[in-house]
Amino acid sequence: MITVRVPAKVNVQLGVGGLRADGFHDLANVFFAVALGDEVTASDSSEGITLSCSGPDADAVPLDDSNLAARAARLLAAHHGLADPGVHLHIAKAIPVAGGMAGGSADGAAALVACDALWKLETPFETLLELAAELGSDVPFALLGGVALGRGRGEILEPLAVEGTFHWVFAVADGGLSTPAVFRECDRLRDEAGTGSADTDVPTPDADPALLAALADGDAVALAAALTNDLQLAALSLRPALAATLRAGTEAGALGALVSGSGPTCAFLAKDADGAAAVAAALRASGTCRTAHATYGPVPGAAVA
Ligand code: C5P
């Protein structure tokens, strides 16, 4: 039996370019891995690739072939020419489902690492990264962890220097948001504003030098001032109630606030661990979210526990 721990992510910068011909958007995506994470346990099975899930949101996790963990196991087996792969994957789910924290992608990355160990394949890390990119735009980062700039659709990664630990709070909403729907809403808002949404209309985004300096300096105040998410307007347009969540965390003393990825989870940067605990308690009492978790990062990517 192999257990792999895998982090969730928050995007401290999510710069979204125009819509490409292939349906994706070019990104300048600064991923940040946080300790809030899932655990995926792989064990031998003679019944093909099967899944189970535990945790408060387990009912919202699909246990069929659409689950990225199952797809990851199948892709790894196919890559190595395994004719009749068998594995049972149990997902202990702590990452909000459809929450903008790449929880499904995390499970895909964890399944790659867990099956690689269970089946004793010793796949090179570079190959795992390539397989991860086939599974989804956010899966390679869940393997890498830490902090990284993602270019292309998010899968071309460059690790970034970070000093120290940052303290975060995540406010979990009732229900998820569909990532494609949020990108579509972003395009619609750009068309409505008259700027256009195609990749010929929107300048290619780039990483913000002030944000990179704040990370390298371990400066939470400067990082808070530099947080940006080009999908935030779209997420707020689809889920206006998130404005009250962002306000509640800011009023509780968070240094900065933003929607995490495509949402609806909201992320708050705190001064220190005590500050994060206070912001989380205030958010839980505010009635503007289902629950709130204090956590920290950066942490490593998917690894055998
Ligand atoms: O790569 P992934 O399967 O996670 O992407 C899900 C959907 O999110 C895509 O089909 C696309 O609609 C949208 N997306 C995008 N641009 C990206 C990443 C994702 O438009 N860079």
Side-chain angles (χ1 to χ4, degrees), residues 19 23-27 105 135-138 152-154 179-180 183-184:
L19 179 63
F24 287 88
H25 297 72
D26 268 322
L27 304 179
S105 300
L135 291 168
S137 308
D138 289 347
R153 59 184 166 87
T179 300
F183 273 104
R184 271 199 306 274

Side-chain angles (χ1 to χ4, degrees), residues 20-21 23 41 55 63 71 78 102 109 122 170 179 183-184 195 205 221 231 241 245 249 256 259 265 286 294 298:
R20 312 192 311 207
T41 299
L63 297 178
R71 289 174 48 200
E122 299 187 8
F170 293 96
T179 300
F183 273 104
R184 271 199 306 274
T195 50
V221 172
L231 290 180
T245 315
V259 170
T265 306
S286 73

Side-chain angles (χ1 to χ4, degrees), residues 101-137:
M101 298 189 73
S105 300
D107 299 342
L112 284 177
V113 173
C115 291
D116 186 62
L118 186 75
W119 296 334
K120 300 189 171 62
L121 298 170
E122 299 187 8
T123 312
F125 189 66
E126 280 304 316
T127 306
L128 288 180
L129 283 173
E130 285 165 20
L131 296 174
E134 279 185 49
L135 291 168
S137 308

Side-chain angles (χ1 to χ4, degrees), residues 258-281:
L258 83 173
V259 170
S260 178
S262 55
T265 306
C266 291
F268 303 88
L269 190 58
K271 184 162 120 297
D272 52 25
D274 286 346
V279 170

